[in-house]
Amino acid sequence: MLKRIEELCAIDGVPGREEAVAEYIYRQIAPVCERCEIDPLGNVLALKKGRNTPARRILLDAHMDEVGFIVTYITEEGRLRFSPLGGIDPRVVAGKPVFVGPRRAYGIIGTKAVHMMTAEERDKAPKIDELTIDIGAASREEAEKWVSPGDPVVFDSDFVCFGDGFIKAKALDDRAGCAVLMDIILKEELPCDTWFSFTVQEEIGGSGAKAAAYTVDPAIAISVETTTAADIAGVEEDKKVCFLGRGPVISFMDRGTIYDRELYRLALDTAEKHGIPAQPKLGVFGGNNAASLHKARGGVRPMAVSMPCRYLHTPSCVLKTEDIFATRELLFRLIGELGAL
């Protein structure tokens, strides 16, 4: 599964440009699914048959898109102006290498040198609209040979294993979730029929999940995600949210969803029953596709199972491998529990 995560993270797929990710997933899972299709928005929807048909249709969802940027303008000097695709902190952007457009032009996100800044400027993070991407072009005409307004921009960041079971890469949010669901589809005999969706455009509002849930019409939906872990130096204990190495994170509420109380308790009880480490998300922060999933059609009971991730929405997302495998095990067990409801 770690090899699959590495392969998925290497694919470029900002919101609206997830085609290559979708094709990778579809090509691998379609042969073992009862149904598998790519819908008009680009979502991959799959039904994996199990031993029984559940009384309530179950959907597990992970999003395919990653945070990035979109080119908005090319200056006379050949620099690129851009806007964010997803919630990206400008403090992590300056000086980072990127690839731009379908030809993957190499570039560096540039800002004014620190010794040329005023004291006031040095005390503030630069705004995105104060930054440009330098692709080595000497003029607008030269830059236009490589890129155009509307082209996607992705971080250049390799997959790295380090320390005691940690991995670093771009796009772990949420390619790790995609890999976990793929692993369940490819390797497990499921206790009941289960739907899976690999959705587009989560980072800009969750429109893919809204369409997927409308099509599948589930009674219960699990958003399989990564979520912010602040278990780092300088953060107060009650603000650390969740911790790497303590297993999947179960949410009771975030900024988009109040989760089903019974399902929240079921997730924690199932983890305890099977000896799987798990932890509640200690705070109301962020959001995910559950905000779209739970409002589909006449309403869907939502659950979120996430992997704790340091440095979310940066080129250097960090997960711990034991949390990934514990999340996979919990989700498989939850399919059985939900199928029995």
Side-chain angles (χ1 to χ4, degrees), residues 73-122:
Y73 184 76
I74 303 175
T75 71
E76 288 291 343
E77 299 80 19
R79 304 288 197 274
L80 313 181
R81 297 287 184 187
F82 58 93
S83 290
L85 292 171
I88 303 177
D89 186 342
R91 293 174 299 176
V92 306
V93 170
K96 297 299 188 295
V98 293
F99 292 108
V100 185
R103 298 179 65 182
R104 301 191 92 228
Y106 191 80
I108 304 294
I109 298 176
T111 187
K112 188 187 297 185
V114 66
H115 62 273
M116 298 181 67
M117 293 180 180
T118 65
E120 183 180 6
E121 287 175 327
R122 284 195 294 270

Side-chain angles (χ1 to χ4, degrees), residues 286-306:
N288 54 53
N289 268 342
S292 294
L293 294 167
H294 83 271
K295 292 179 283 192
R297 289 185 178 256
V300 179
R301 298 175 65 188
M303 180 193 298
V305 178
S306 306

Side-chain angles (χ1 to χ4, degrees), residues 110-236:
T111 187
K112 188 187 297 185
V114 66
H115 62 273
M116 298 181 67
M117 293 180 180
T118 65
E120 183 180 6
E121 287 175 327
R122 284 195 294 270
D123 289 338
K124 294 181 180 179
K127 298 177 181 179
I128 292 291
D129 60 11
E130 296 172 341
L131 305 173
T132 59
I133 299 173
D134 181 355
I135 61 169
S139 66
R140 175 182 290 165
E141 291 72 22
E142 187 175 344
E144 287 175 339
K145 296 176 183 178
W146 289 87
V147 301
S148 301
D151 278 350
V153 181
V154 297
F155 289 118
D156 172 21
S157 178
D158 293 334
F159 181 96
V160 176
C161 296
F162 71 102
D164 182 20
F166 294 90
I167 61 173
K168 182 278 296 184
K170 74 174 181 69
L172 286 173
D173 174 24
D174 186 31
R175 305 288 167 71
C178 292
V180 166
L181 296 190
M182 291 178 70
D183 205 64
I184 292 172
I185 293 169
L186 292 169
K187 295 182 180 179
E188 294 290 355
E189 179 185 356
L190 299 183
C192 62
D193 301 349
T194 306
W195 280 90
F196 298 85
S197 59
F198 302 85
T199 46
V200 300
Q201 300 184 41
E202 188 270 350
E203 299 294 359
I204 58 167
S207 57
K210 187 178 297 184
Y214 185 89
T215 299
V216 174
D217 191 19
I220 296 169
I222 305 177
S223 179
V224 181
E225 262 283 10
T226 60
T227 194
T228 302
D231 57 341
I232 55 177
V235 178
E236 297 177 15

